[in-house]
Amino acid sequence: MASPTEILGLLLLPFWYFIESFFKTCQDLFVPVSLRNLKDLSGEVALVTGGGAGLGRSLAIQLAELKVTVVTWDINQSANEETVRMILDNGGSAYAYTVDIGNPEDVYAAAEKVKGEVGEVTLLVNNAAIGQSQSVWEIPDKIIQKMMTTNALAYFWLLRAFLPSMKENNHGHIVAILSGSLNMVPNGLGAYISSKSAAYGLHQALNTELLCEQKTKIQTTVAFLDFIATDMTVGRLNCGTADVLPPQVVAHHIIEGIRLNIPVVTSTKTSFMLYLFKNFIPTKIFLLLFRLGGVTSIFLNTKDKK
């Protein structure tokens, strides 16, 4: 039976986790970047999916400016090679690979090539995505399957390809580029939001698993983004008075979040407040409740059973 001191400690832990979460959030919201320590990314190897255009290209270029070796994957070979040419012309280091991330065999084969030709990936930016606005009862089955595969399932394959080496070296950063619409779902984006919700669920599961490995130094960042001026959105949005931000501005904000080890980045303050309202209870409290119940995993380990 637990002693009174142990019981008191367990009762106080949830309050500590709330206070810790509150002050970290206030720091991220209100403390100017100029007063905080930005981690040095020079020497890191960053893989950016969807690096051939839009936000992916901006992320690749700005990371290269920070002396990061950039590996960009895209299904569009010419656009992807153009991104690399822009980086090389500016004195950076970059490599282009034509990869369909919707195909797991492509992902695993390309991952092995990257490891052999460039080195171990230490910064994974899961950016590639496709979207289409249509009601859930009208959107074609093939488009639904393509969105779920590219926007959600590919994240599994990327993690399986690159997370093991990060864990082995206890070093790395994983970034999931998602949509601010997850926090307030608009009409007409049911399939797209479903795919991004699946990716977010995986990202949350990853965070929980990493938190359970208490000594891990692997960081994660999720970016909830609103309207960005890319080929996916320009001329196709009815966004009212909302700002449509240039991809260069959004990329700068995301990279700042990476360098500050911020777990959640949003492109607007409004989007951040929506996120807070939907996710008020820190993950650590849920983990504490599981531990108090003697539960370390929901399911029994049947791996070795036949």
Side-chain angles (χ1 to χ4, degrees), residues 187-224:
N187 183 38
L189 288 180
Y192 176 74
I193 295 303
S194 296
S195 66
K196 287 294 187 177
S197 295
Y200 182 41
L202 174 56
H203 189 80
Q204 288 179 302
L206 171 66
N207 278 330
T208 298
E209 292 180 11
L210 290 175
L211 278 173
C212 288
E213 299 180 14
Q214 296 179 4
K215 294 184 179 180
T216 185
K217 293 182 181 178
I218 299 172
Q219 303 290 331
T220 68
T221 296
V222 59
F224 292 108

PDB file of all heavy atoms in Angstrom, residues 187-224:
ATOM      1  N   ASN A 187     -17.300  23.136 -44.216  1.00  0.00           N
ATOM      2  CA  ASN A 187     -18.105  22.335 -45.117  1.00  0.00           C
ATOM      3  C   ASN A 187     -17.314  21.982 -46.375  1.00  0.00           C
ATOM      4  O   ASN A 187     -16.536  22.788 -46.877  1.00  0.00           O
ATOM      5  CB  ASN A 187     -19.372  23.117 -45.506  1.00  0.00           C
ATOM      6  CG  ASN A 187     -20.291  22.316 -46.397  1.00  0.00           C
ATOM      7  OD1 ASN A 187     -20.442  21.105 -46.222  1.00  0.00           O
ATOM      8  ND2 ASN A 187     -20.906  22.971 -47.361  1.00  0.00           N
ATOM      9  N   GLY A 188     -17.495  20.761 -46.857  1.00  0.00           N
ATOM     10  CA  GLY A 188     -16.905  20.380 -48.136  1.00  0.00           C
ATOM     11  C   GLY A 188     -15.523  19.774 -48.079  1.00  0.00           C
ATOM     12  O   GLY A 188     -14.931  19.497 -49.122  1.00  0.00           O
ATOM     13  N   LEU A 189     -14.977  19.566 -46.895  1.00  0.00           N
ATOM     14  CA  LEU A 189     -13.632  19.012 -46.784  1.00  0.00           C
ATOM     15  C   LEU A 189     -13.614  17.709 -45.976  1.00  0.00           C
ATOM     16  O   LEU A 189     -12.612  17.376 -45.349  1.00  0.00           O
ATOM     17  CB  LEU A 189     -12.675  20.030 -46.131  1.00  0.00           C
ATOM     18  CG  LEU A 189     -12.276  21.238 -46.969  1.00  0.00           C
ATOM     19  CD1 LEU A 189     -11.339  22.134 -46.169  1.00  0.00           C
ATOM     20  CD2 LEU A 189     -11.600  20.822 -48.264  1.00  0.00           C
ATOM     21  N   GLY A 190     -14.709  16.978 -46.012  1.00  0.00           N
ATOM     22  CA  GLY A 190     -14.835  15.788 -45.184  1.00  0.00           C
ATOM     23  C   GLY A 190     -13.736  14.770 -45.398  1.00  0.00           C
ATOM     24  O   GLY A 190     -13.124  14.277 -44.440  1.00  0.00           O
ATOM     25  N   ALA A 191     -13.447  14.420 -46.651  1.00  0.00           N
ATOM     26  CA  ALA A 191     -12.430  13.401 -46.930  1.00  0.00           C
ATOM     27  C   ALA A 191     -11.041  13.907 -46.573  1.00  0.00           C
ATOM     28  O   ALA A 191     -10.230  13.181 -45.988  1.00  0.00           O
ATOM     29  CB  ALA A 191     -12.493  12.998 -48.398  1.00  0.00           C
ATOM     30  N   TYR A 192     -10.772  15.153 -46.928  1.00  0.00           N
ATOM     31  CA  TYR A 192      -9.460  15.729 -46.628  1.00  0.00           C
ATOM     32  C   TYR A 192      -9.217  15.800 -45.124  1.00  0.00           C
ATOM     33  O   TYR A 192      -8.166  15.386 -44.619  1.00  0.00           O
ATOM     34  CB  TYR A 192      -9.362  17.130 -47.244  1.00  0.00           C
ATOM     35  CG  TYR A 192      -8.082  17.861 -46.927  1.00  0.00           C
ATOM     36  CD1 TYR A 192      -6.889  17.502 -47.534  1.00  0.00           C
ATOM     37  CD2 TYR A 192      -8.078  18.936 -46.029  1.00  0.00           C
ATOM     38  CE1 TYR A 192      -5.712  18.177 -47.247  1.00  0.00           C
ATOM     39  CE2 TYR A 192      -6.906  19.613 -45.738  1.00  0.00           C
ATOM     40  CZ  TYR A 192      -5.728  19.233 -46.351  1.00  0.00           C
ATOM     41  OH  TYR A 192      -4.558  19.900 -46.054  1.00  0.00           O
ATOM     42  N   ILE A 193     -10.210  16.294 -44.382  1.00  0.00           N
ATOM     43  CA  ILE A 193     -10.072  16.410 -42.931  1.00  0.00           C
ATOM     44  C   ILE A 193      -9.963  15.031 -42.286  1.00  0.00           C
ATOM     45  O   ILE A 193      -9.213  14.835 -41.322  1.00  0.00           O
ATOM     46  CB  ILE A 193     -11.249  17.197 -42.330  1.00  0.00           C
ATOM     47  CG1 ILE A 193     -11.233  18.643 -42.835  1.00  0.00           C
ATOM     48  CG2 ILE A 193     -11.199  17.178 -40.807  1.00  0.00           C
ATOM     49  CD1 ILE A 193      -9.953  19.396 -42.564  1.00  0.00           C
ATOM     50  N   SER A 194     -10.681  14.052 -42.833  1.00  0.00           N
ATOM     51  CA  SER A 194     -10.579  12.690 -42.299  1.00  0.00           C
ATOM     52  C   SER A 194      -9.162  12.156 -42.441  1.00  0.00           C
ATOM     53  O   SER A 194      -8.614  11.534 -41.515  1.00  0.00           O
ATOM     54  CB  SER A 194     -11.558  11.762 -43.033  1.00  0.00           C
ATOM     55  OG  SER A 194     -12.885  12.146 -42.792  1.00  0.00           O
ATOM     56  N   SER A 195      -8.532  12.411 -43.592  1.00  0.00           N
ATOM     57  CA  SER A 195      -7.171  11.933 -43.803  1.00  0.00           C
ATOM     58  C   SER A 195      -6.191  12.644 -42.874  1.00  0.00           C
ATOM     59  O   SER A 195      -5.288  12.017 -42.299  1.00  0.00           O
ATOM     60  CB  SER A 195      -6.763  12.125 -45.268  1.00  0.00           C
ATOM     61  OG  SER A 195      -6.672  13.501 -45.606  1.00  0.00           O
ATOM     62  N   LYS A 196      -6.376  13.943 -42.702  1.00  0.00           N
ATOM     63  CA  LYS A 196      -5.487  14.698 -41.816  1.00  0.00           C
ATOM     64  C   LYS A 196      -5.736  14.341 -40.350  1.00  0.00           C
ATOM     65  O   LYS A 196      -4.812  14.359 -39.532  1.00  0.00           O
ATOM     66  CB  LYS A 196      -5.677  16.198 -42.035  1.00  0.00           C
ATOM     67  CG  LYS A 196      -5.085  16.715 -43.348  1.00  0.00           C
ATOM     68  CD  LYS A 196      -3.578  16.593 -43.350  1.00  0.00           C
ATOM     69  CE  LYS A 196      -2.937  17.251 -44.542  1.00  0.00           C
ATOM     70  NZ  LYS A 196      -1.453  17.187 -44.496  1.00  0.00           N
ATOM     71  N   SER A 197      -6.990  14.006 -40.008  1.00  0.00           N
ATOM     72  CA  SER A 197      -7.291  13.568 -38.643  1.00  0.00           C
ATOM     73  C   SER A 197      -6.578  12.257 -38.335  1.00  0.00           C
ATOM     74  O   SER A 197      -6.071  12.052 -37.224  1.00  0.00           O
ATOM     75  CB  SER A 197      -8.802  13.389 -38.461  1.00  0.00           C
ATOM     76  OG  SER A 197      -9.481  14.622 -38.581  1.00  0.00           O
ATOM     77  N   ALA A 198      -6.527  11.372 -39.325  1.00  0.00           N
ATOM     78  CA  ALA A 198      -5.811  10.114 -39.143  1.00  0.00           C
ATOM     79  C   ALA A 198      -4.323  10.366 -38.916  1.00  0.00           C
ATOM     80  O   ALA A 198      -3.700   9.751 -38.048  1.00  0.00           O
ATOM     81  CB  ALA A 198      -6.021   9.207 -40.357  1.00  0.00           C
ATOM     82  N   ALA A 199      -3.755  11.294 -39.678  1.00  0.00           N
ATOM     83  CA  ALA A 199      -2.340  11.639 -39.502  1.00  0.00           C
ATOM     84  C   ALA A 199      -2.104  12.250 -38.120  1.00  0.00           C
ATOM     85  O   ALA A 199      -1.087  11.967 -37.466  1.00  0.00           O
ATOM     86  CB  ALA A 199      -1.904  12.611 -40.593  1.00  0.00           C
ATOM     87  N   TYR A 200      -3.046  13.063 -37.667  1.00  0.00           N
ATOM     88  CA  TYR A 200      -2.905  13.669 -36.338  1.00  0.00           C
ATOM     89  C   TYR A 200      -2.994  12.607 -35.251  1.00  0.00           C
ATOM     90  O   TYR A 200      -2.257  12.646 -34.257  1.00  0.00           O
ATOM     91  CB  TYR A 200      -3.981  14.733 -36.142  1.00  0.00           C
ATOM     92  CG  TYR A 200      -3.886  15.466 -34.813  1.00  0.00           C
ATOM     93  CD1 TYR A 200      -2.651  15.844 -34.288  1.00  0.00           C
ATOM     94  CD2 TYR A 200      -5.036  15.777 -34.078  1.00  0.00           C
ATOM     95  CE1 TYR A 200      -2.563  16.512 -33.078  1.00  0.00           C
ATOM     96  CE2 TYR A 200      -4.949  16.446 -32.882  1.00  0.00           C
ATOM     97  CZ  TYR A 200      -3.713  16.809 -32.377  1.00  0.00           C
ATOM     98  OH  TYR A 200      -3.626  17.467 -31.167  1.00  0.00           O
ATOM     99  N   GLY A 201      -3.898  11.645 -35.432  1.00  0.00           N
ATOM    100  CA  GLY A 201      -3.994  10.558 -34.464  1.00  0.00           C
ATOM    101  C   GLY A 201      -2.691   9.796 -34.358  1.00  0.00           C
ATOM    102  O   GLY A 201      -2.231   9.450 -33.258  1.00  0.00           O
ATOM    103  N   LEU A 202      -2.055   9.546 -35.497  1.00  0.00           N
ATOM    104  CA  LEU A 202      -0.764   8.870 -35.487  1.00  0.00           C
ATOM    105  C   LEU A 202       0.293   9.725 -34.802  1.00  0.00           C
ATOM    106  O   LEU A 202       1.116   9.226 -34.026  1.00  0.00           O
ATOM    107  CB  LEU A 202      -0.340   8.545 -36.926  1.00  0.00           C
ATOM    108  CG  LEU A 202       1.065   7.959 -37.098  1.00  0.00           C
ATOM    109  CD1 LEU A 202       1.246   6.705 -36.259  1.00  0.00           C
ATOM    110  CD2 LEU A 202       1.331   7.660 -38.569  1.00  0.00           C
ATOM    111  N   HIS A 203       0.277  11.029 -35.067  1.00  0.00           N
ATOM    112  CA  HIS A 203       1.253  11.922 -34.448  1.00  0.00           C
ATOM    113  C   HIS A 203       1.086  11.951 -32.932  1.00  0.00           C
ATOM    114  O   HIS A 203       2.070  11.939 -32.182  1.00  0.00           O
ATOM    115  CB  HIS A 203       1.112  13.333 -35.022  1.00  0.00           C
ATOM    116  CG  HIS A 203       2.213  14.265 -34.613  1.00  0.00           C
ATOM    117  ND1 HIS A 203       3.445  14.276 -35.225  1.00  0.00           N
ATOM    118  CD2 HIS A 203       2.277  15.206 -33.628  1.00  0.00           C
ATOM    119  CE1 HIS A 203       4.221  15.178 -34.649  1.00  0.00           C
ATOM    120  NE2 HIS A 203       3.535  15.761 -33.682  1.00  0.00           N
ATOM    121  N   GLN A 204      -0.171  11.966 -32.465  1.00  0.00           N
ATOM    122  CA  GLN A 204      -0.421  11.928 -31.022  1.00  0.00           C
ATOM    123  C   GLN A 204       0.061  10.609 -30.421  1.00  0.00           C
ATOM    124  O   GLN A 204       0.627  10.582 -29.325  1.00  0.00           O
ATOM    125  CB  GLN A 204      -1.912  12.131 -30.738  1.00  0.00           C
ATOM    126  CG  GLN A 204      -2.400  13.549 -30.989  1.00  0.00           C
ATOM    127  CD  GLN A 204      -3.886  13.682 -30.707  1.00  0.00           C
ATOM    128  OE1 GLN A 204      -4.705  12.989 -31.293  1.00  0.00           O
ATOM    129  NE2 GLN A 204      -4.243  14.576 -29.794  1.00  0.00           N
ATOM    130  N   ALA A 205      -0.183   9.518 -31.131  1.00  0.00           N
ATOM    131  CA  ALA A 205       0.282   8.214 -30.656  1.00  0.00           C
ATOM    132  C   ALA A 205       1.807   8.185 -30.573  1.00  0.00           C
ATOM    133  O   ALA A 205       2.380   7.653 -29.613  1.00  0.00           O
ATOM    134  CB  ALA A 205      -0.219   7.112 -31.582  1.00  0.00           C
ATOM    135  N   LEU A 206       2.453   8.774 -31.558  1.00  0.00           N
ATOM    136  CA  LEU A 206       3.921   8.867 -31.550  1.00  0.00           C
ATOM    137  C   LEU A 206       4.396   9.650 -30.329  1.00  0.00           C
ATOM    138  O   LEU A 206       5.338   9.240 -29.632  1.00  0.00           O
ATOM    139  CB  LEU A 206       4.402   9.539 -32.834  1.00  0.00           C
ATOM    140  CG  LEU A 206       5.889   9.900 -32.894  1.00  0.00           C
ATOM    141  CD1 LEU A 206       6.750   8.648 -32.904  1.00  0.00           C
ATOM    142  CD2 LEU A 206       6.174  10.759 -34.133  1.00  0.00           C
ATOM    143  N   ASN A 207       3.748  10.778 -30.051  1.00  0.00           N
ATOM    144  CA  ASN A 207       4.114  11.582 -28.877  1.00  0.00           C
ATOM    145  C   ASN A 207       3.987  10.775 -27.593  1.00  0.00           C
ATOM    146  O   ASN A 207       4.861  10.821 -26.726  1.00  0.00           O
ATOM    147  CB  ASN A 207       3.212  12.823 -28.777  1.00  0.00           C
ATOM    148  CG  ASN A 207       3.689  13.946 -29.664  1.00  0.00           C
ATOM    149  OD1 ASN A 207       4.872  14.071 -29.924  1.00  0.00           O
ATOM    150  ND2 ASN A 207       2.777  14.761 -30.130  1.00  0.00           N
ATOM    151  N   THR A 208       2.879  10.041 -27.470  1.00  0.00           N
ATOM    152  CA  THR A 208       2.659   9.243 -26.269  1.00  0.00           C
ATOM    153  C   THR A 208       3.746   8.180 -26.116  1.00  0.00           C
ATOM    154  O   THR A 208       4.295   7.983 -25.030  1.00  0.00           O
ATOM    155  CB  THR A 208       1.279   8.573 -26.318  1.00  0.00           C
ATOM    156  OG1 THR A 208       0.266   9.581 -26.350  1.00  0.00           O
ATOM    157  CG2 THR A 208       1.053   7.694 -25.094  1.00  0.00           C
ATOM    158  N   GLU A 209       4.074   7.501 -27.195  1.00  0.00           N
ATOM    159  CA  GLU A 209       5.088   6.452 -27.134  1.00  0.00           C
ATOM    160  C   GLU A 209       6.461   7.027 -26.788  1.00  0.00           C
ATOM    161  O   GLU A 209       7.229   6.416 -26.037  1.00  0.00           O
ATOM    162  CB  GLU A 209       5.125   5.688 -28.458  1.00  0.00           C
ATOM    163  CG  GLU A 209       3.861   4.865 -28.683  1.00  0.00           C
ATOM    164  CD  GLU A 209       3.860   4.097 -29.990  1.00  0.00           C
ATOM    165  OE1 GLU A 209       4.941   4.029 -30.632  1.00  0.00           O
ATOM    166  OE2 GLU A 209       2.813   3.566 -30.371  1.00  0.00           O
ATOM    167  N   LEU A 210       6.758   8.208 -27.326  1.00  0.00           N
ATOM    168  CA  LEU A 210       8.042   8.836 -27.008  1.00  0.00           C
ATOM    169  C   LEU A 210       8.077   9.316 -25.555  1.00  0.00           C
ATOM    170  O   LEU A 210       9.113   9.231 -24.886  1.00  0.00           O
ATOM    171  CB  LEU A 210       8.318  10.003 -27.963  1.00  0.00           C
ATOM    172  CG  LEU A 210       8.620   9.618 -29.418  1.00  0.00           C
ATOM    173  CD1 LEU A 210       8.747  10.862 -30.282  1.00  0.00           C
ATOM    174  CD2 LEU A 210       9.892   8.781 -29.517  1.00  0.00           C
ATOM    175  N   LEU A 211       6.926   9.835 -25.063  1.00  0.00           N
ATOM    176  CA  LEU A 211       6.862  10.257 -23.659  1.00  0.00           C
ATOM    177  C   LEU A 211       7.066   9.079 -22.712  1.00  0.00           C
ATOM    178  O   LEU A 211       7.632   9.231 -21.634  1.00  0.00           O
ATOM    179  CB  LEU A 211       5.517  10.927 -23.363  1.00  0.00           C
ATOM    180  CG  LEU A 211       5.375  12.400 -23.745  1.00  0.00           C
ATOM    181  CD1 LEU A 211       3.933  12.863 -23.537  1.00  0.00           C
ATOM    182  CD2 LEU A 211       6.323  13.278 -22.953  1.00  0.00           C
ATOM    183  N   CYS A 212       6.586   7.903 -23.130  1.00  0.00           N
ATOM    184  CA  CYS A 212       6.764   6.718 -22.293  1.00  0.00           C
ATOM    185  C   CYS A 212       8.230   6.300 -22.218  1.00  0.00           C
ATOM    186  O   CYS A 212       8.633   5.641 -21.260  1.00  0.00           O
ATOM    187  CB  CYS A 212       5.909   5.565 -22.819  1.00  0.00           C
ATOM    188  SG  CYS A 212       4.138   5.793 -22.518  1.00  0.00           S
ATOM    189  N   GLU A 213       9.012   6.653 -23.235  1.00  0.00           N
ATOM    190  CA  GLU A 213      10.454   6.436 -23.195  1.00  0.00           C
ATOM    191  C   GLU A 213      11.067   7.720 -22.623  1.00  0.00           C
ATOM    192  O   GLU A 213      11.513   8.581 -23.351  1.00  0.00           O
ATOM    193  CB  GLU A 213      10.996   6.131 -24.583  1.00  0.00           C
ATOM    194  CG  GLU A 213      10.401   4.873 -25.187  1.00  0.00           C
ATOM    195  CD  GLU A 213      10.946   4.560 -26.572  1.00  0.00           C
ATOM    196  OE1 GLU A 213      11.972   5.167 -26.953  1.00  0.00           O
ATOM    197  OE2 GLU A 213      10.363   3.721 -27.253  1.00  0.00           O
ATOM    198  N   GLN A 214      11.094   7.832 -21.326  1.00  0.00           N
ATOM    199  CA  GLN A 214      11.307   9.105 -20.645  1.00  0.00           C
ATOM    200  C   GLN A 214      12.646   9.778 -20.948  1.00  0.00           C
ATOM    201  O   GLN A 214      12.800  10.974 -20.764  1.00  0.00           O
ATOM    202  CB  GLN A 214      11.138   8.915 -19.137  1.00  0.00           C
ATOM    203  CG  GLN A 214       9.720   8.505 -18.765  1.00  0.00           C
ATOM    204  CD  GLN A 214       9.535   8.284 -17.283  1.00  0.00           C
ATOM    205  OE1 GLN A 214      10.441   8.502 -16.495  1.00  0.00           O
ATOM    206  NE2 GLN A 214       8.361   7.832 -16.885  1.00  0.00           N
ATOM    207  N   LYS A 215      13.629   9.020 -21.397  1.00  0.00           N
ATOM    208  CA  LYS A 215      14.940   9.613 -21.646  1.00  0.00           C
ATOM    209  C   LYS A 215      15.154   9.980 -23.115  1.00  0.00           C
ATOM    210  O   LYS A 215      16.254  10.341 -23.513  1.00  0.00           O
ATOM    211  CB  LYS A 215      16.044   8.658 -21.177  1.00  0.00           C
ATOM    212  CG  LYS A 215      16.060   8.442 -19.668  1.00  0.00           C
ATOM    213  CD  LYS A 215      17.228   7.559 -19.240  1.00  0.00           C
ATOM    214  CE  LYS A 215      17.227   7.375 -17.726  1.00  0.00           C
ATOM    215  NZ  LYS A 215      18.366   6.503 -17.278  1.00  0.00           N
ATOM    216  N   THR A 216      14.116   9.887 -23.923  1.00  0.00           N
ATOM    217  CA  THR A 216      14.282  10.178 -25.335  1.00  0.00           C
ATOM    218  C   THR A 216      14.550  11.667 -25.572  1.00  0.00           C
ATOM    219  O   THR A 216      14.004  12.532 -24.871  1.00  0.00           O
ATOM    220  CB  THR A 216      13.052   9.751 -26.155  1.00  0.00           C
ATOM    221  OG1 THR A 216      13.323   9.957 -27.543  1.00  0.00           O
ATOM    222  CG2 THR A 216      11.827  10.561 -25.771  1.00  0.00           C
ATOM    223  N   LYS A 217      15.386  11.949 -26.556  1.00  0.00           N
ATOM    224  CA  LYS A 217      15.668  13.333 -26.945  1.00  0.00           C
ATOM    225  C   LYS A 217      15.068  13.653 -28.309  1.00  0.00           C
ATOM    226  O   LYS A 217      15.372  14.685 -28.891  1.00  0.00           O
ATOM    227  CB  LYS A 217      17.178  13.573 -26.957  1.00  0.00           C
ATOM    228  CG  LYS A 217      17.821  13.502 -25.574  1.00  0.00           C
ATOM    229  CD  LYS A 217      19.311  13.793 -25.643  1.00  0.00           C
ATOM    230  CE  LYS A 217      19.943  13.702 -24.245  1.00  0.00           C
ATOM    231  NZ  LYS A 217      21.408  13.930 -24.285  1.00  0.00           N
ATOM    232  N   ILE A 218      14.228  12.756 -28.794  1.00  0.00           N
ATOM    233  CA  ILE A 218      13.559  12.997 -30.072  1.00  0.00           C
ATOM    234  C   ILE A 218      12.408  13.974 -29.855  1.00  0.00           C
ATOM    235  O   ILE A 218      11.575  13.776 -28.986  1.00  0.00           O
ATOM    236  CB  ILE A 218      13.038  11.681 -30.675  1.00  0.00           C
ATOM    237  CG1 ILE A 218      14.199  10.718 -30.928  1.00  0.00           C
ATOM    238  CG2 ILE A 218      12.271  11.950 -31.970  1.00  0.00           C
ATOM    239  CD1 ILE A 218      13.766   9.336 -31.333  1.00  0.00           C
ATOM    240  N   GLN A 219      12.391  15.026 -30.646  1.00  0.00           N
ATOM    241  CA  GLN A 219      11.363  16.062 -30.532  1.00  0.00           C
ATOM    242  C   GLN A 219      10.316  15.898 -31.632  1.00  0.00           C
ATOM    243  O   GLN A 219      10.587  15.331 -32.693  1.00  0.00           O
ATOM    244  CB  GLN A 219      12.000  17.452 -30.655  1.00  0.00           C
ATOM    245  CG  GLN A 219      13.092  17.750 -29.647  1.00  0.00           C
ATOM    246  CD  GLN A 219      12.554  17.908 -28.241  1.00  0.00           C
ATOM    247  OE1 GLN A 219      11.407  18.315 -28.050  1.00  0.00           O
ATOM    248  NE2 GLN A 219      13.375  17.601 -27.248  1.00  0.00           N
ATOM    249  N   THR A 220       9.122  16.402 -31.369  1.00  0.00           N
ATOM    250  CA  THR A 220       8.068  16.395 -32.389  1.00  0.00           C
ATOM    251  C   THR A 220       7.403  17.767 -32.447  1.00  0.00           C
ATOM    252  O   THR A 220       7.312  18.476 -31.446  1.00  0.00           O
ATOM    253  CB  THR A 220       6.986  15.336 -32.103  1.00  0.00           C
ATOM    254  OG1 THR A 220       6.251  15.703 -30.937  1.00  0.00           O
ATOM    255  CG2 THR A 220       7.585  13.956 -31.933  1.00  0.00           C
ATOM    256  N   THR A 221       6.946  18.104 -33.636  1.00  0.00           N
ATOM    257  CA  THR A 221       6.190  19.348 -33.843  1.00  0.00           C
ATOM    258  C   THR A 221       5.043  19.057 -34.799  1.00  0.00           C
ATOM    259  O   THR A 221       5.245  18.401 -35.824  1.00  0.00           O
ATOM    260  CB  THR A 221       7.082  20.452 -34.441  1.00  0.00           C
ATOM    261  OG1 THR A 221       8.118  20.791 -33.511  1.00  0.00           O
ATOM    262  CG2 THR A 221       6.270  21.701 -34.763  1.00  0.00           C
ATOM    263  N   VAL A 222       3.859  19.518 -34.450  1.00  0.00           N
ATOM    264  CA  VAL A 222       2.732  19.440 -35.366  1.00  0.00           C
ATOM    265  C   VAL A 222       2.351  20.867 -35.751  1.00  0.00           C
ATOM    266  O   VAL A 222       2.306  21.757 -34.895  1.00  0.00           O
ATOM    267  CB  VAL A 222       1.540  18.688 -34.741  1.00  0.00           C
ATOM    268  CG1 VAL A 222       1.058  19.360 -33.469  1.00  0.00           C
ATOM    269  CG2 VAL A 222       0.389  18.566 -35.727  1.00  0.00           C
ATOM    270  N   ALA A 223       2.137  21.077 -37.048  1.00  0.00           N
ATOM    271  CA  ALA A 223       1.790  22.415 -37.535  1.00  0.00           C
ATOM    272  C   ALA A 223       0.356  22.406 -38.051  1.00  0.00           C
ATOM    273  O   ALA A 223       0.033  21.677 -39.000  1.00  0.00           O
ATOM    274  CB  ALA A 223       2.748  22.847 -38.639  1.00  0.00           C
ATOM    275  N   PHE A 224      -0.518  23.196 -37.412  1.00  0.00           N
ATOM    276  CA  PHE A 224      -1.889  23.367 -37.873  1.00  0.00           C
ATOM    277  C   PHE A 224      -1.938  24.649 -38.707  1.00  0.00           C
ATOM    278  O   PHE A 224      -1.815  25.752 -38.175  1.00  0.00           O
ATOM    279  CB  PHE A 224      -2.848  23.482 -36.689  1.00  0.00           C
ATOM    280  CG  PHE A 224      -3.000  22.216 -35.897  1.00  0.00           C
ATOM    281  CD1 PHE A 224      -2.453  22.104 -34.638  1.00  0.00           C
ATOM    282  CD2 PHE A 224      -3.694  21.132 -36.419  1.00  0.00           C
ATOM    283  CE1 PHE A 224      -2.591  20.943 -33.903  1.00  0.00           C
ATOM    284  CE2 PHE A 224      -3.841  19.963 -35.691  1.00  0.00           C
ATOM    285  CZ  PHE A 224      -3.284  19.866 -34.434  1.00  0.00           C
TER     286      PHE A 224
END
